[in-house]
Amino acid sequence: MLRIEQITKRFGGLTALDRVDLAVDQGQLVGLIGPNGSGKSTLFGVISGFHRPEHGRIVFAGQDIVGRPPHAIARLGVGRTFQIVRPFTRMSAIENVEVGLLYGQGIAYGTAAQQAREILEFVGLGQRIQADVANFTLADKKRLEIARALSTGPRLLLLDEVFAGLNPVEVRGAISLIRRMRDELKLTIIMVEHVLSAVMETCERVMVLSYGQKIAEGTPEEITRDPDVIRVYLGTRYAHH
């Protein structure tokens, strides 16, 4: 469904992504991990059209999407959440989701209201449809952020640090929501994440970036045993154990 080939992205003298490759099949749940500044969010920015790479190809559902604007890539079926949750705080939860349906997919208003309600039910905000978003907890704001991404009708969903700042109970809820999106909505999901335990539990495949380069890719089991990954996360003194 998604093929990233030799993607290179520079910001001035800094190479944020250095010849990165990644292939994602339909229905896969892929984790993208790495230390701060390793290029994870930049890769999401490149896939979703916010950054134009200097080199490489990105093919989504058979179409080369490099150089297309973000709204065109969203229309093709790439949805994303953002690390910093920025809902429309002067609107209710349902209005936040309706925006994506009305403008992202051009759905008629009556239908949009019904679909927005269904999406909010799906993400666990069914009781808070008319609630004022300004008063939401962080966990509820993250669920709303996912609902807004779903409102654009994605086939591929890019989740940027959904678990950040959540307590263990909220993390469990988020893991189960992500699995349901894959199983029930048939979405393909790539998630950037710092909460390693959650990635290892949720994803079938994990890719590790360090200083803009892919240093490892494999199953969660393979990744946790990889000496390069251990070195990047824990320092050299752990790597030989």
Side-chain angles (χ1 to χ4, degrees), residues 51-217:
H51 303 310
R52 189 176 182 140
E54 275 72 37
H55 179 75
R57 291 178 72 211
I58 299 179
V59 180
F60 171 69
Q63 299 193 51
D64 193 337
I65 57 173
V66 167
R68 296 196 191 198
H71 67 86
I73 293 174
R75 283 266 161 97
L76 283 176
V78 179
R80 72 171 290 190
T81 66
F82 291 86
Q83 206 172 328
I84 296 165
V85 185
R86 290 201 186 94
F88 302 119
T89 45
R90 294 206 176 90
M91 294 183 181
S92 66
I94 193 164
E95 288 167 337
N96 264 275
V97 179
E98 283 168 352
V99 168
L101 291 159
L102 294 167
Y103 296 100
Q105 293 195 71
I107 285 170
Y109 187 74
T111 318
Q114 179 55 36
Q115 285 195 16
R117 188 170 269 108
E118 287 166 13
I119 290 170
L120 285 166
E121 293 275 357
F122 184 86
V123 302
L125 291 174
Q127 304 303 309
R128 314 211 54 192
I129 285 175
Q130 301 297 345
D132 189 350
V133 173
N135 303 325
F136 272 24
T137 62
L138 178 64
D140 282 350
K141 281 184 178 157
K142 297 232 172 185
R143 285 178 182 267
L144 180 62
E145 179 79 354
I146 290 173
R148 290 171 68 194
L150 292 177
S151 74
T152 63
R155 290 182 285 165
L156 170 68
L157 190 55
L158 309 175
L159 299 177
D160 202 346
E161 301 213 10
V162 170
F163 301 123
L166 301 185
N167 68 36
V169 174
E170 293 163 343
V171 166
R172 295 241 61 79
I175 289 174
S176 104
L177 174 57
I178 289 165
R179 288 204 178 126
R180 280 176 47 232
M181 288 194 292
R182 198 272 301 274
D183 297 340
E184 295 173 30
L185 304 181
K186 305 287 183 256
L187 294 183
T188 304
I189 297 171
I190 307 177
M191 45 197 286
V192 157
E193 201 44 71
H194 270 302
V195 182
L196 282 185
S197 54
V199 174
M200 296 308 178
E201 198 174 325
T202 317
C203 299
E204 304 141 329
R205 269 179 59 236
V206 180
M207 167 168 140
V208 189
L209 286 176
S210 178
Y211 295 108
Q213 294 186 327
K214 177 162 86 173
I215 60 164
E217 187 179 355

